[in-house]
Amino acid sequence: MLVENELRNPPLHIDTHAHVILPSTIRKTGRYGPDIVTNEQGRSSIRLGPYESRVGGEKGMTLEEFKAMGGDPLLRIKELDSLGIDAMGVTISPLFYLYWAEDDARIPFASIQNDAFATNCNTDPSRLFWMATLPLPNIEASIAEVLRSVALGARGINVGTGDFDGVELDDERLWPLYAEIEAAGLPLLGINQEASERSLKPPCRELPAPLRKNNTGGWPPDAACASGGHSF
């Protein structure tokens, strides 16, 4: 039950789903990048290993637009003010999960990203907060990163909704990790990522493939079914 001093009128407006690509994380995995690439038309996108994301739709952004989007927390706060939003929670782009990479790339890159988010949001913690990424499916390294991120000020943990290099969200190997997240009192936020066949729960598994692959409200039904089949 809420007590009187916990009530707020008007209520807070909080954006809990905002991706930020920070300049200090560019080219920090070595062989996988990530890199900002610009085509002949002057449009930029992010390339990480074999994957490329055209931020801003099919045409992509100019390099100037891309840089403006990524780095300055004061610009973000100014944008929040213009939209009437009190606070914003930020996470990495799903392209940056790196679950498919080797441990020598994904473990340090998770720490690099979390350090960057801590620095970025410490500009004004009353307006900006962050949710940590983990080097899944390495459970030991992920637990260590949860503890480290709590010390840095993380307000939640962010994971994809698909498989972690063959390990699914409901795999018992992840239970010690979930216990650590629960003990820290942090929420677990799942962000859209293409799910594998193994993570589909009935009746989603029986859906025709074209139906599973169509976007519904921006969320592929296979990923929605995967995350909907788990309780946290």
Side-chain angles (χ1 to χ4, degrees), residues 27-96:
R27 297 182 179 174
K28 289 301 173 64
T29 72
R31 58 191 179 277
Y32 295 129
D35 293 297
I36 301 174
V37 295
T38 303
N39 63 23
E40 294 177 354
Q41 288 73 43
R43 297 287 170 171
S44 295
S45 58
I46 282 283
R47 181 179 296 155
L48 203 159
Y51 301 102
E52 185 173 336
S53 175
R54 292 182 178 85
V55 182
E58 283 301 314
K59 292 183 177 180
M61 292 182 170
T62 65
L63 186 58
E64 290 72 24
E65 290 170 336
F66 190 86
K67 288 180 176 178
M69 164 194 156
D72 192 340
L74 295 179
L75 289 179
R76 281 285 177 132
I77 292 171
K78 184 176 180 180
E79 185 178 13
L80 294 181
D81 290 339
S82 70
L83 296 172
I85 297 173
D86 297 292
M88 180 175 73
V90 296
T91 65
I92 65 169
S93 164
L95 182 69
F96 283 41

Side-chain angles (χ1 to χ4, degrees), residues 71-75 77 116-128:
D72 192 340
L74 295 179
L75 289 179
I77 292 171
F117 273 109
T119 299
N120 188 269
C121 292
N122 279 343
T123 301
D124 189 345
S126 69
R127 305 296 305 278
L128 301 171

